[in-house]
Amino acid sequence: MKVKLTRLIMTLSMAMPMQQAHAEVTGAALAQQGAPGVPACLSCHGARGEGLAATGFPRLAGQSTAYLEKQLRAFAGGQRVSPQMQAIASALDDSQIRAVAAYYGKLPGWQAAPSANPAAAAPEPWTRGQKLAIRGNWDKEIPACFACHGPAGEGIAPHFPALSGQPAAYTRSQLKAWQSGTRSNDPHGLMKSVALRMSPAEIDAVSAYLANPLPLSPEER
Amino acid sequence: MNTRLRQWLANQKVTSRFHPSWILIAVGASLAIGLLMWLLSESVFRHERPSPAVSVLPASTQRLPASEQQLSPPANDSALPAAEIIRTVRLGRAIFTDTQTYAKAYVGNGLNCVNCHLDAGRKPDSAPLWAAYGLFPMFRDKNHKVNTYEDRLAGCFRFSMNGRAPAYGSKEFVALMSYSYWLASGAPLGTELAGRGYPKLPPPQQEPDLVRGKQIFDTQCAICHGADGQGTRVGTRYAFPPLWGPHSFNAGAGMTQIKNAAGFIKANMPLGQGNTLSDQQAWDVAKYMTSQPRPADPRLGRP
């Protein structure tokens, strides 16, 4: 009896790390090579999960694991509509979803370039977007984006995703998806309430800012 | 912000005391002031220019047309005070939105003033500063005295922030008063403006109930304020402030009165979804929140 118990404990304690190691391998393998019926994620999301600005494929690196899992399940379940991702997410089984989400969740998140001057390219929308992200527009009951998405847009796991460093085209497409109803998987409609109040110009401005955000000091807020 | 501050500064000049001989150089000085203002707007206000947010005041408090006053102080003297008052207004806003940094020594919990006075003290129905400033001095039941505006600020430091008040006339108080005064420019004195304080809800139809309140809290509030109401941190700061527990407001705070809490919650919570709860739901969840443990009222027991 005693022997059996020790054996059981030993097998369990050995199996756990092995399973974890296995998960990391499949996560990385899925990301880089894909699997039968599943294209490699990197072909669209970038070698380090950094996303692709030109096409608006989102950054995955540094997004919380729980959030990524939730989104993959939403694509598969149809609560979030995307021609590219629906087929891919539906082809992933549960353990693959967990593995690949864990893989991207552990990669480093977005960092501002040290000497960046992002306002230079398009000062007007970028500055307007900065105000919206940091102060909101309470005339229209729009809270600051960063009130929910973290003080630097870095996300507040698990419910509030990072926005900083996302391609502008991606942020824009998501805000429009809430407006048109093709995305409706947010808890309590919290994001939908915000998106519905935004004008096209506000969407453009905040998307431009979030691709390359810089903070404001409290005295400038 | 630029235009409003400029108008406000213009108004300040009316109340300054001038030497009669200044009239003689008024025209020349006006030109110099104009130049200075333009320079200021180019430097000090650079970040503010396109901001609609700072001038967000309800129509009722929008500035009246600037008066026809002709006097302008000499350019040399006016430059510094002008820059200084702008710095002070900005410091006031920084203290209000980031009390944890800018008035650290006076804060005994994890909150910032803005947590209960949304949009940097501008949002109607969230006890906005522009509606408060012109109502003081005021008699308050809380301490059975005529209270100045500084007394009112002190109250929120002591109870809502579970801390202690800065000294009267301190740079923190001067900055907070300057910021409030600036937000209130154009507002009438001694008049209760629409949007002042938190809305007064009609009495609840059913006795506010802890069980229903907890249900609302769990489903609508916990995602941000935490399952245990202790808030959610990012690093060492609260991104979503605690509603009770050791880092929240103390038992002497206005927010512990169920009518204040219900009014605030109804108009402002869940964040971005103000006025979506029914009055009854607001009373119920307020009851639940105000029944939770928090730091003691400093007026009771040991000081």
Side-chain angles (χ1 to χ4, degrees):
Chain A
M1 173 71 194
K2 207 174 175 186
V3 181
K4 259 192 197 161
L5 204 75
T6 355
R7 254 229 204 107
L8 186 72
I9 292 171
M10 275 179 62
T11 346
L12 272 177
S13 54
M14 284 177 64
M16 297 270 274
M18 269 174 69
Q19 230 170 23
Q20 244 168 13
H22 176 68
E24 268 158 40
V25 172
T26 26
L30 267 169
Q32 279 145 25
Q33 291 137 40
V38 183
C41 319
L42 66 68
S43 58
C44 292
H45 291 286
R48 283 160 289 115
E50 72 278 21
L52 193 58
T55 51
F57 295 155
R59 151 182 280 278
L60 303 179
Q63 199 64 279
S64 87
T65 298
Y67 186 76
L68 295 172
E69 276 186 30
K70 178 190 160 176
Q71 298 308 322
L72 287 168
R73 298 206 164 92
F75 288 126
Q79 296 99 318
R80 186 171 166 184
V81 178
S82 157
Q84 292 101 326
M85 281 310 297
Q86 179 138 22
I88 295 170
S90 310
L92 297 172
D93 67 27
D94 197 63
S95 71
Q96 286 174 313
I97 286 185
R98 276 187 276 132
V100 77
Y103 170 76
Y104 281 115
K106 283 197 199 104
L107 293 181
W110 182 79
Q111 292 284 329
S115 61
N117 182 11
E124 212 314 286
W126 189 91
T127 318
R128 195 173 164 190
Q130 185 183 43
K131 298 278 152 65
L132 201 58
I134 294 171
R135 288 183 185 158
N137 179 1
W138 282 99
D139 272 358
K140 293 163 73 179
E141 294 266 336
I142 299 176
C145 313
F146 289 179
C148 285
H149 289 281
E154 72 276 50
I156 305 176
H159 299 292
F160 302 91
L163 303 179
S164 290
Q166 282 297 12
Y170 174 69
T171 302
R172 194 183 302 116
S173 74
Q174 298 310 302
L175 294 169
K176 298 217 153 127
W178 265 295
Q179 291 189 335
S180 66
T182 54
R183 186 166 177 184
S184 58
N185 61 332
D186 50 330
H188 311 317
L190 283 169
M191 188 57 222
K192 183 178 181 159
S193 322
V194 175
L196 285 182
R197 298 189 190 115
M198 295 180 75
S199 69
E202 281 172 331
I203 290 181
D204 286 345
V206 85
S207 303
Y209 170 71
L210 290 170
N212 210 347
L214 280 184
L216 270 181
S217 82
E219 274 143 289
E220 294 165 320
R221 269 173 222 158
Chain B
M1 178 162 184
N2 191 12
T3 337
R4 289 180 50 74
L5 259 182
R6 218 182 301 175
Q7 284 172 341
W8 183 66
L9 279 170
N11 206 41
Q12 296 266 296
K13 284 173 220 140
V14 188
T15 55
S16 308
R17 269 194 263 128
F18 302 109
H19 191 279
S21 69
W22 288 359
I23 295 168
L24 298 173
I25 55 164
V27 176
S30 306
L31 284 172
I33 293 294
L35 180 66
L36 256 163
M37 284 311 199
W38 180 78
L39 282 173
L40 269 173
S41 71
E42 287 304 299
S43 54
V44 182
F45 297 122
R46 206 172 50 241
H47 305 285
E48 292 297 338
R49 185 101 44 93
S51 156
V54 178
S55 57
V56 171
L57 278 185
S60 60
T61 62
Q62 283 298 341
R63 195 114 187 56
L64 303 169
S67 66
E68 309 69 20
Q69 52 91 24
Q70 298 297 319
L71 293 173
S72 297
N76 276 348
D77 289 349
S78 70
L80 282 176
E84 186 58 32
I85 190 86
I86 289 160
R87 267 199 295 279
T88 309
V89 168
R90 282 184 185 287
L91 176 63
R93 187 169 62 185
I95 293 172
F96 200 79
T97 55
D98 187 359
T99 326
Q100 295 289 327
T101 303
Y102 288 83
K104 194 173 193 282
Y106 306 102
V107 177
N109 61 18
L111 303 185
N112 293 301
C113 307
V114 69
N115 293 157
C116 302
H117 303 281
L118 270 54
D119 193 18
R122 282 184 290 256
K123 188 178 173 296
D125 292 336
S126 156
L129 299 180
W130 47 262
Y133 190 81
L135 290 179
F136 288 84
M138 175 202 279
F139 177 81
R140 290 188 73 213
D141 283 340
K142 186 157 183 162
N143 52 14
H144 302 285
K145 275 199 295 224
V146 172
N147 288 227
T148 62
Y149 192 70
E150 273 178 308
D151 293 330
R152 187 65 193 86
L153 297 176
C156 267
F157 271 104
R158 193 160 170 226
F159 303 107
S160 302
M161 308 298 289
N162 194 32
R164 63 192 174 89
Y168 284 43
S170 61
K171 98 174 171 329
E172 288 81 7
F173 266 178
V174 170
L176 283 168
M177 291 180 72
S178 304
Y179 177 52
S180 307
Y181 178 50
W182 175 63
L183 285 176
S185 25
L189 277 182
T191 306
E192 178 98 22
L193 295 166
R196 187 217 161 196
Y198 301 133
K200 315 270 173 289
L201 300 186
Q205 305 212 302
Q206 292 169 275
E207 191 60 25
D209 181 75
L210 280 174
V211 176
R212 286 196 306 263
K214 175 169 165 42
Q215 213 160 34
I216 294 158
F217 180 83
D218 290 347
T219 52
Q220 305 242 36
C221 321
I223 185 176
C224 294
H225 293 290
D228 53 2
Q230 315 280 300
T232 304
R233 291 188 213 233
V234 170
T236 56
R237 296 294 183 86
Y238 285 101
F240 300 125
L243 304 189
W244 62 81
H247 304 294
S248 189
F249 50 91
N250 69 37
M255 194 60 94
T256 60
Q257 290 177 31
I258 185 169
K259 66 173 170 48
N260 281 334
F264 172 84
I265 292 166
K266 166 86 184 181
N268 300 296
M269 290 292 140
L271 189 74
Q273 299 183 323
N275 292 308
T276 57
L277 296 179
S278 69
D279 288 359
Q280 185 65 47
Q281 286 175 317
W283 283 109
D284 289 340
V285 75
K287 166 91 180 180
Y288 179 67
M289 178 180 92
T290 54
S291 309
Q292 303 296 330
R294 58 181 68 261
D297 185 337
R299 293 166 300 184
L300 308 173
R302 288 172 303 277

